[in-house]
Amino acid sequence: MRSFLRDDDLSPQEQAEVLALAAAIKADPYGRKPLAGPQTVAVIFDKASTRTRVSFGVGIADLGGNPLILDTATTQGGRGESTADTARVLGRMTSAIVWRTYAQSGLEEMAAHAGVPVVNALSDDFHPCQILADWQTVIEHKGHLAGLTVAYLGDGANNMGHSYLLGGATAGMHVRIGSPSGYQPAGHIVDDATAIAERTGGSVQVTEDPAAAIGGADVVITDTWVSMGQEAEKDARLRLFGDFSITEDALKLAAPDAIVLHCLPAYRGLEISSEVLDGPQSVVWDEAENRLHAQKALLVWLLSQPEAR
């Protein structure tokens, strides 16, 4: 049974297949109905969500299915039922499970016992659905992925930093992570991304110098400096990350035709200025819309695999 728990669960060829399918689905939004019946997909939220909740809910309905939106606080999972037992029950009643949660190990346990595809809709370690939407957006504006230089400035140790490393290396991109000391990606993720990049022609660079990260980049990306659950660290983080803000001056260091991505929500004046977010190089709203198309493509692809029912 194929699931999508981290970016490198898709091979380079499979990632390209999903992204091509996402473009086709965007052009013909209601042309595919693999969930006709309607079949139900469980969409579970342990964390707050706007884009993930809307895009999966709308996308599952577009595919002919029924999105069953659940939250841990009002189900038995919030009262101590094991993930394995929850997985066994949901897998008997639904065609797929989408989960936005904290621990990556929980997703792995869900996938091991569900018997249906499980999709990581965000964990503390990875956010692979966002990267599919991002790369669909880059293709729309640049025409290709392989060989492009993508610079991510901010917290390299968070889920976005990890997913950009793996997803970018899989696509054959040159990935630069610019983060202050103490907030750089986990070493084993850098090692995994480096190994992938050696096969795809990409590369991986981690630096504490924001100018070195963004210099000449084709794609410039940032994310909030204070992720969910890190609110107590806010003041310290704002002091540390100040030099990594994407401002108009910082963007001048990138390629003249560079595009800017942000997975949202954005905190204007912190990780990104309003002038950049609303400026001509920003493709943020295309990126937000593409969550819908990329995730639909992922579900269509997973449900088409021989092991899926």
Side-chain angles (χ1 to χ4, degrees):
M1 182 60 54
R2 294 294 298 269
S3 288
F4 187 55
L5 307 185
R6 47 185 275 169
D7 306 79
D8 54 350
D9 283 343
L10 295 178
S11 70
Q13 179 180 347
E14 290 169 343
Q15 183 194 64
E17 289 175 8
V18 172
L19 292 173
L21 185 56
I25 285 175
K26 188 172 185 176
D28 181 16
Y30 310 110
R32 291 168 174 79
K33 303 290 184 184
L35 293 170
Q39 300 176 51
T40 294
V41 175
V43 189
I44 311 168
F45 290 94
D46 296 343
K47 292 184 176 184
S49 169
T50 299
R51 277 150 293 278
T52 299
R53 186 181 299 264
V54 173
S55 57
F56 270 111
V58 172
I60 290 163
D62 286 353
L63 296 175
N66 172 48
L68 177 63
I69 308 296
L70 302 170
D71 65 83
T72 302
T74 57
T75 57
Q76 296 296 341
R79 300 180 66 243
E81 184 173 45
S82 76
T83 298
D85 289 351
T86 299
R88 293 183 179 102
V89 173
L90 292 180
R92 298 236 179 167
M93 301 183 187
T94 67
S95 295
I97 299 168
V98 175
W99 193 10
R100 182 179 177 93
T101 187
Y102 294 91
Q104 185 73 13
S105 59
L107 283 157
E108 293 167 356
E109 186 176 0
M110 182 76 79
H113 297 281
V116 297
V118 175
V119 173
N120 179 357
L122 181 143
S123 71
D124 288 343
D125 292 340
F126 303 103
H127 196 1
C129 289
Q130 181 65 57
I131 271 55
L132 291 177
D134 285 16
W135 291 173
Q136 180 180 1
T137 307
V138 173
I139 291 170
E140 289 174 348
H141 289 271
K142 293 291 186 182
H144 64 100
L145 296 175
L148 292 178
T149 296
V150 54
Y152 170 78
L153 272 66
D155 185 355
N158 71 9
N159 46 21
M160 294 306 303
H162 289 165
S163 276
Y164 283 122
L165 280 171
L166 295 180
T170 300
M173 304 173 85
H174 303 293
V175 185
R176 299 178 189 161
I177 304 292
S179 304
S181 177
Y183 294 88
Q184 297 189 333
H188 68 281
I189 301 297
V190 175
D191 291 343
D192 289 347
T194 300
I196 295 169
E198 288 174 352
R199 299 193 297 270
T200 62
S203 64
V204 170
Q205 179 184 354
V206 178
T207 176
E208 297 177 20
D209 181 353
I214 200 172
D218 302 296
V219 182
V220 177
I221 307 175
T222 189
D223 182 25
T224 178
W225 293 337
V226 186
S227 296
M228 287 177 281
Q230 298 173 335
E231 290 78 7
E233 306 171 26
K234 181 176 180 179
D235 290 343
R237 283 174 170 265
L238 296 189
R239 288 192 295 272
L240 277 170
F241 285 93
D243 292 339
F244 294 82
S245 180
I246 298 181
T247 62
E248 289 181 299
D249 285 342
L251 192 55
K252 289 175 183 174
L253 299 174
D257 61 346
I259 58 174
V260 176
L261 302 179
H262 190 309
C263 64
L264 302 175
Y267 296 90
R268 295 167 182 258
L270 295 179
E271 75 270 9
I272 191 168
S273 69
S274 289
E275 291 77 12
V276 172
L277 187 66
D278 298 326
Q281 291 173 269
S282 171
V283 294
V284 166
W285 312 117
D286 293 341
E287 177 189 12
E289 177 191 338
N290 284 337
R291 287 290 302 276
L292 172 64
H293 311 300
Q295 291 165 183
K296 287 169 67 177
L298 176 68
L299 286 172
V300 170
W301 189 88
L302 287 172
L303 292 167
S304 73
Q305 299 308 297
E307 302 90 343
R309 65 172 171 82

